Amino acid sequence: MAFINTKTKEVQVKIVYVGPGRGGKTTNLEYIFSRIRHRIGSDMVSIKTQGDRTLFFDFLPFELGSIKGYNVKTQLYTVPGQVKYNATRKLVLKGVDGIVFVADSIVDRRENNIKSLENLRENLQFYDIDITKMPIVLQYNKRDMESQGVAILDVETMEKDLNAEIKAPSFTASALKGDNVIPTVKKAISTTIVGIREKLL
C-alpha cells in the first residue's frame, strides 16, 4: 500500500518488476535509470544476499505533476527470478502498489513464464492480494531476438498464456535496445496512480 506523508504532501508508490529468471527485469531498470539519471538524486541500489540480488531506486515521475496536491515519488524494484529465491521475491512484494511482469518471448521460455506468473499469484495471495485486482502491466520482452534467428512466441500465444484472466495492458519490447521500456513504466505508474487516487482524500 502506498505510503502517504501528509506533512510533506508526498505519496510513495512501490512498483516491482517480476518475471522469470534472465527475462530482462534488471535490464529494464538499468535502461530506465540511464535515461532519467539526471532527474534523480539517488543511485540505483543493489542489495546482495548469498548470491541473489535486489535492485531498486526511487524518483519523482516525469509528466505526472501532483495528485490532489501530493507529489508522487516512485520506487522501482526488481527481484531475482530464479525459483530458489522465492523468499526474497515474497519479501520485496510486501507493500507493493503496482507490478510489471516481464515475460521472455523466446519459445523455450514459455513454461518459465507461466510458472513465474503462477508464483506471483501465490506470493500476492500471501498478502491477501488478488492478482486480478492489482495494477499490473505485462511486457513481452526480447522481441529483437527474432532478427537473430531465435524462435520467439507470437503475441497471441503470450496473451493467451499470461493475460487471459488478468486482462492487463501489455507491451512488446526489447529491454536491451530500450524499445517500449519507458512506455511500459509510464503505463505502470499511471495505472497504479489511478488505484491510489481515491485514497487521497
Side-chain angles (χ1 to χ4, degrees):
M1 180 178 172
F3 175 73
I4 301 170
N5 190 325
T6 54
K7 289 184 178 180
T8 61
K9 287 285 186 176
E10 186 175 87
V11 182
Q12 289 185 358
V13 174
K14 181 178 183 178
I15 295 176
V16 181
Y17 278 65
V18 299
R22 299 190 302 277
K25 301 179 298 298
T26 298
T27 309
N28 262 274
L29 256 67
E30 288 173 342
Y31 181 83
I32 295 166
F33 186 77
S34 71
R35 284 287 304 274
I36 65 169
R37 188 167 193 166
H38 62 288
R39 296 174 183 260
I40 61 181
S42 63
D43 289 330
M44 184 156 60
V45 179
S46 176
I47 301 173
K48 295 182 180 179
T49 53
Q50 297 180 350
D52 69 350
R53 180 174 64 160
T54 300
L55 290 174
F56 71 91
F57 64 91
D58 55 22
F59 67 102
L60 293 167
F62 28 83
E63 299 169 12
L64 253 189
S66 61
I67 309 294
K68 295 190 177 180
Y70 284 77
N71 287 320
V72 180
K73 177 177 278 189
T74 304
Q75 298 178 322
L76 296 183
Y77 286 77
T78 185
V79 294
Q82 289 84 350
V83 175
K84 62 182 178 178
Y85 298 131
N86 188 52
T88 301
R89 287 199 299 278
K90 188 182 290 184
L91 184 62
V92 174
L93 283 169
K94 185 176 183 179
V96 65
D97 298 301
I99 288 170
V100 176
F101 184 87
V102 181
D104 194 323
S105 293
I106 296 175
V107 168
D108 292 346
R109 308 283 167 79
R110 182 180 181 185
E111 194 63 32
N112 291 2
N113 292 330
I114 295 170
K115 287 180 178 177
S116 182
L117 186 66
E118 186 56 36
N119 176 256
L120 171 62
R121 185 191 308 273
E122 292 170 1
N123 284 340
L124 289 174
Q125 284 176 347
F126 178 81
Y127 296 112
D128 294 320
I129 299 171
D130 182 344
I131 193 171
T132 62
K133 294 181 172 64
M134 164 64 62
I136 185 169
V137 174
L138 300 181
Q139 185 190 85
Y140 304 140
N141 191 31
K142 300 188 183 177
R143 306 306 293 182
D144 57 304
M145 297 297 287
E146 189 172 27
S147 65
Q148 300 176 33
V150 177
I152 66 169
L153 296 159
D154 59 76
V155 173
E156 291 75 18
T157 298
M158 299 188 79
E159 283 281 298
K160 184 178 177 182
D161 285 349
L162 307 172
N163 207 15
E165 181 189 8
I166 301 171
K167 295 180 173 57
S170 61
F171 294 83
T172 56
S174 166
L176 198 60
K177 293 185 174 182
D179 297 344
N180 270 343
V181 170
I182 298 299
T184 298
V185 71
K186 283 186 174 181
K187 186 64 175 179
I189 293 169
S190 63
T191 303
T192 302
I193 292 300
V194 168
I196 289 170
R197 196 187 298 267
E198 294 83 40
K199 298 171 186 175
L200 299 177
L201 302 175

